[in-house]
Amino acid sequence: MSWQSYVDDQLIATKVVKDAVICGHDGNIWATSPGFGATAAELKTLIGNFGNTDVLAMNGVTLGNTRYMFLSGTDKVIRAKKGTSGIHVMKTVQAVIVCRYEEPIVPEQCAIVTEKLGDYLISVGY
């Protein structure tokens, strides 16, 4: 399965995820949904701050020229929001999955879809 089909079929097709990107740990984009303007530089900054909650809390998370307020995070997951939309990010062995949701979707719905794909990728070594 191509990386683009993971974005299209496993994330966007659920209707829970509005926009998504899958990239490597270096920030290079492997697949993205149309209209999600996240840049490789923004992704690289985000990935570099996994586990660094002080920096994330102070600076927030910027993707697609939109700054989201950092809510919580671990060395594997980052959650952030802006108004009634937000992002859920999961780091796997070799990839990072970034999903954006909008109202009426709630954060938990997006988290389930994002982490289900993330757990699958981890199970197959990605």
Side-chain angles (χ1 to χ4, degrees):
M1 185 180 287
S2 74
W3 291 111
Q4 190 62 49
S5 56
Y6 281 117
V7 168
D8 296 340
D9 302 335
Q10 303 296 315
L11 299 172
I12 303 299
T14 65
K15 306 290 187 210
V16 170
V17 174
K18 173 76 174 160
D19 295 302
V21 63
I22 298 176
C23 66
H25 286 191
D26 57 2
N28 286 331
I29 296 171
W30 298 351
T32 187
S33 58
F36 193 22
T39 66
E42 290 171 334
L43 292 165
K44 189 172 185 175
T45 300
L46 173 65
I47 294 161
N49 286 322
F50 260 95
N52 193 345
T53 55
D54 292 340
V55 170
L56 289 167
M58 192 167 50
N59 298 330
V61 176
T62 301
L63 289 172
N65 290 322
T66 301
R67 185 168 179 225
Y68 297 87
M69 179 180 71
F70 171 73
L71 296 175
S72 65
T74 65
D75 58 347
K76 193 170 141 182
V77 174
I78 292 175
R79 297 168 199 86
K81 71 177 283 181
K82 179 179 177 114
T84 58
S85 66
I87 58 169
H88 195 85
V89 185
M90 184 170 181
K91 187 177 186 181
T92 68
V93 179
Q94 299 179 43
V96 176
I97 305 165
V98 180
C99 295
R100 187 173 75 84
Y101 63 89
E102 290 181 344
E103 196 175 51
I105 304 304
V106 294
E108 295 80 9
Q109 291 172 296
C110 184
I112 289 167
V113 170
T114 306
E115 292 185 27
K116 182 178 175 186
L117 178 58
D119 289 340
Y120 168 74
L121 291 177
I122 289 169
S123 76
V124 294
Y126 276 98

